Amino acid sequence: MADSIPYYSEPYDLTNCESEPLINIQRAQSYGELLLCDLNFKHWYYASEILAKALNTTSIIDLVKGLTSLDLNTLDITSNTTFIEGHPKNLIIHRNEAAYTLELEPNAAPGGIKLSTRQLQQSILTISREYSFQEFIDKVCTEVRNITEYDHVMVYQFDENYDGKVIEEKKTEERPTYLGLKFPNTDIPKQARDLYFHEQVRIVYDTSGTQTDIYSNTLIKDKPALDLKGVSIRGVSPIHLEYLRNMKVSSSFSVAIIHENKLWGLIACHHTSKKFINYEIRDWLKFVSSIISSNLSKLFKYNSEVSVGSKKLLRKQILEKILASKDLADSLLNSDHSIMNLIESDGAILKMGSDINCSGNIDNDSLNVELENLFEWLSQQEDFNVKVINDVKSALPNYDFGETIASMLIVQLSHLSGDYIIWTRQEKQIEIQWAGVISKDKHFDAAKNRLTPRKSFEKWKQLEGGKAKEWTTQDIEVAAQLKREIREYLYERYNEMTLLNQELKEAYEEMETFSYSVSHDLKAPLRSIEGFAQILKEDYHTVLDEHGLQLLNIITSSIAKMNDFIADILKFSKLNRESLHIMKVNLNDLLDQEWRIIKAIKEHENAVLIKPDLPTVYGDVNVISQIFANLMGNSIKYVLKGEHPKIEIQYYEKEGFLEIHLYDNGIGIPPQSRSKVFEVFRRLVSDEEYPGTGVGLSIVKKGINRHGGTIKITDGINEIGTGFIFTLPTNAQFLELRKNKTIN
Amino acid sequence: MKNIIKINSGPNAEYPSKFDAIFIEDSLHEVMLLDNLLAKLFPALNCGWIQNAKILLELLKLDTLPKSKVMFLDIKMPDISGLECLEIIKSEYQNYRTPIVMLSSSEHAKDMQRAYELSCNGFLVKDANLADFREKMTMAIMYWTKMNTIK
């Protein structure tokens, strides 16, 4: 005799309402019949209502033959699942160690479809072609709708929380559109999602709720438990049925899309009247499921390859920019190919040495203290390549970056010097369009003793804020790659530099030999010429006439000029190659000393110097003396006929350096010629008017540049004369920094 | 040459055994300038001239180098330079106690440094014009031959 068995094989009530035991539903769907029996077809264990009744009078073998015209005795049942086409019903036999499970389902009717193998093959070919991701999803949707003829076919994609978003749909005009809407993960609870790994396709034939009871054969005491995993006809959750009814769906069909062992998404098919999908088409859809899964891998790989490829190109361009630029920070942050193009971000911070540079939405001035603390904190961290801080507020609670920095991606360029690149993202308000109002309250219906799903699927907008978009593995990989390439680049630069240094050293040595020879080998014959010309004048003036003596004078004055040239060239070249001896220099004493030397010459006794007490600077005392000697010497030399030379010195203290102004009342330098006078041997006046070598100001400029300073020319006293404005360091550290930055 | 006697090495060389100053100088022109200077300012001074470092070292080796109150050693000389020569004298002839004053036409810092390392007694830079050079040499010769005492 037979007993009806309960809906669930285990209790399901208010206590576990959120985890409805789907797999234990002990009902069969109304489209067919179900039978469990022993492996000899002798005794039945469980059966759907009609069969249970029939089995009172008929044997299993006769019953199946009557419904399908198939002879069980002649069937070869070796595999787990066997499908046999019969008339009027098809038979699916599942085999395990203890029992056969037989599903009897319509061949094609009622409302069903039957397709030719050719049609199915054609569909497979269509979706297997090469497409972009969107094209592929579109084609899949179209083909599934063509084959199933369902009113509404959708492709859902799950996010990390298994909220599903409709990314593609094909439908009749009457069906509401769900494209772009999100369905919360509670719509397809975890236990339902897990089942998709066993059953890639799932049909819900009739949402009206009519499901067939299953009877247990009471005559057999020792029988296996009812296990309907993998059995298509297994009954459906009443909550899910109500959910589908609320959507005005009569038949539903879904295909799992599995990607990298995760449920990536679903193809959900809805039909407003009852429509059966038979085994063959279900089997085809399983095949489609696996094609989609394998194609996704290929598409994602292709997409990320395209993306990685273009990022690689960008990285190459960035590195080329760096190569072309002398300012690494500037080119990383401000060029057309900045690091912000490399990784999607709202801001970027670059710390190199003691410089912090920002771009994007980050304002260095307002965040200065926070950033310095951040870098201090980073320098205390363990050595790392890339660090991700996705939620800055909770990870760094002591910092206040406001809304500008909600997450960070940090690359450590050098732990030793504490150099970092940081990409930042700000808080983003994300609008989510849900299918229906999503509330946290569960609707437990006491009368039905279960949860009830929501009634409306109208678009409902929700804003989510307070967080930034998370960094992807690809972002992190790109950051790490950039670090590697910068390091490689720097290493190459280092090698080039070493080589250049070597060449420079050799060039210096050559230069040294050269100047050594100049001083000895050029000077010696000059000494002879000059010496013997003098001796001629002294010892033979009686045998020479006036003209002869004049000629001798020309010889000696020419030699004097040549000696001046040689002396100045040697000074200039010495300034280029010899290292500075940096020390504290009392500028006041130095100036007084130079002035005394100038005043010691009789022609200069009318010269006037007006100066305040000058502070201390840092530098090479000999070079600085030379600078002032040359500048003041020029002021005294290039004076208007009849004028008394006058020099005024002023100074302004700036951060790290002194700005010195030196004005005179001399002949002045016209503005258009002011840049020329620093060139070696460049003179603006003739030798007859004002003798000179044209090297003095070159020495001045070189000397100031070597101290990391600058010099420019302005007007002198009362708009006549010349003014020099130049800088000298007042702190040794500053000098080091400026020296490295000054080119030439 | 009016005032300077050339000192040669070799068996037939003839020269006084004692001088006020000896100049080691390869350039004949330099010696002529010196000779002119000495003739005008120090006509009574006995000065000797050795043309290169090689001859000087030979004389030292044979112990036939005439005595002098000072030796002026030019830096820039072919083959054995003044500095090399100074090094040999200081390392191999420690009994030779005559003050050695280096002469150079340049202020090359390295040369000066090296010369003082090798315990030269002075370093004179030959001025570019004769007047300055004369002034310098007059004072130097006065000092080393008249004021300075050696034993």
Side-chain angles (χ1 to χ4, degrees), chain A residues 32-33 47-56 63 67 212-213 215:
Chain A
E33 303 295 338
S48 54
E49 193 173 2
I50 293 170
L51 296 188
K53 280 178 185 153
L55 286 164
N56 283 332
L63 180 74
L67 290 166
T212 315
D213 285 351
Y215 287 80

Side-chain angles (χ1 to χ4, degrees), chain A residues 512 515-517 519-521 523-524 526-528 530-532 534-535 538-539 559 563 574 577-578, chain B residues 29-30 32-33 36 40 75-76 104-111 126-131 133-134:
Chain A
E512 205 160 335
S515 5
Y516 188 81
S517 302
S519 44
H520 277 286
D521 297 343
K523 272 181 179 174
L526 277 180
R527 278 171 42 74
S528 298
E530 204 270 347
F532 291 117
Q534 284 304 344
I535 291 168
E538 287 167 11
D539 300 355
I559 302 290
N563 276 322
K574 198 172 143 185
R577 62 198 153 81
E578 281 184 8
Chain B
H29 292 167
E30 286 290 337
M32 284 167 73
L33 286 176
N36 186 277
K40 282 174 183 163
I75 286 214
K76 187 97 190 314
S104 172
S105 50
S106 87
E107 299 171 54
H108 196 65
K110 273 190 184 164
D111 282 354
K126 299 181 199 167
D127 298 281
N129 74 59
L130 188 69
F133 180 61
R134 266 186 187 160

Side-chain angles (χ1 to χ4, degrees), chain A residues 595-612:
Chain A
W595 188 244
R596 269 198 298 277
I597 295 171
I598 289 170
K599 290 288 276 184
I601 297 165
K602 198 170 182 306
E603 296 89 74
H604 299 159
E605 63 187 5
N606 289 321
V608 178
L609 172 69
I610 301 163
K611 70 162 185 64

Side-chain angles (χ1 to χ4, degrees), chain B:
Chain B
M1 222 78 70
K2 292 171 185 163
N3 263 56
I4 296 182
I5 298 160
K6 192 172 181 182
I7 305 167
N8 280 315
S9 64
N12 301 321
E14 270 184 38
Y15 44 83
S17 60
K18 213 171 139 189
F19 287 100
D20 289 309
I22 294 177
F23 294 89
I24 324 298
E25 172 64 77
D26 66 301
S27 158
L28 181 65
H29 292 167
E30 286 290 337
V31 181
M32 284 167 73
L33 286 176
L34 277 169
D35 187 54
N36 186 277
L37 182 156
L38 291 167
K40 282 174 183 163
L41 297 167
F42 301 97
L45 217 61
N46 279 324
C47 293
W49 166 44
I50 297 170
Q51 201 170 5
N52 56 50
K54 209 177 147 211
I55 300 172
L56 170 69
L57 293 174
E58 266 176 33
L59 291 168
L60 270 171
K61 200 174 177 183
L62 299 167
D63 201 18
T64 53
L65 179 68
K67 286 195 165 31
S68 66
K69 294 178 179 165
V70 62
M71 175 191 283
F72 291 98
L73 180 58
D74 188 39
I75 286 214
K76 187 97 190 314
M77 289 190 292
D79 193 8
I80 303 167
S81 79
L83 286 173
E84 285 165 338
C85 178
L86 178 65
E87 189 176 358
I88 295 167
I89 296 171
K90 292 293 174 185
S91 61
E92 294 177 19
Y93 302 97
Q94 277 133 7
N95 292 330
Y96 186 78
R97 294 209 193 85
T98 307
I100 300 174
V101 176
M102 308 307 288
L103 279 176
S104 172
S105 50
S106 87
E107 299 171 54
H108 196 65
K110 273 190 184 164
D111 282 354
M112 267 186 247
Q113 213 178 317
R114 182 74 188 133
Y116 283 110
E117 267 171 23
L118 293 170
S119 313
C120 73
N121 298 77
F123 197 108
L124 298 179
V125 178
K126 299 181 199 167
D127 298 281
N129 74 59
L130 188 69
D132 294 343
F133 180 61
R134 266 186 187 160
E135 193 182 332
K136 187 177 279 178
M137 283 313 289
T138 307
M139 288 196 262
I141 290 166
M142 283 286 283
Y143 177 79
W144 289 109
T145 60
K146 313 251 187 251
M147 295 158 76
N148 193 40
T149 330
I150 48 164
K151 186 68 229 154

Side-chain angles (χ1 to χ4, degrees), chain A residues 646-663:
Chain A
K646 186 173 165 190
I647 301 171
E648 265 181 47
I649 290 176
Q650 300 157 6
Y651 72 88
Y652 301 91
E653 276 184 272
K654 304 279 163 108
E655 200 189 325
F657 62 93
L658 202 67
E659 190 178 283
I660 300 161
H661 294 214
L662 188 149
Y663 300 106

Side-chain angles (χ1 to χ4, degrees), chain A residues 648-715:
Chain A
E648 265 181 47
I649 290 176
Q650 300 157 6
Y651 72 88
Y652 301 91
E653 276 184 272
K654 304 279 163 108
E655 200 189 325
F657 62 93
L658 202 67
E659 190 178 283
I660 300 161
H661 294 214
L662 188 149
Y663 300 106
D664 66 34
N665 63 342
I667 56 172
I669 301 170
Q672 69 273 14
S673 306
R674 285 176 183 173
S675 59
K676 290 186 208 160
V677 295
F678 294 116
E679 292 169 27
V680 189
F681 302 129
R682 175 71 88 147
R683 301 209 64 210
L684 298 178
V685 287
S686 77
D687 220 34
E688 277 73 41
E689 287 177 278
Y690 299 98
T693 59
V695 184
L697 284 180
S698 308
I699 290 175
V700 168
K701 184 169 198 268
K702 178 63 68 184
I704 288 168
N705 285 163
R706 286 217 59 189
H707 283 80
T710 55
I711 182 163
K712 61 176 182 196
I713 298 175
T714 64
D715 292 336

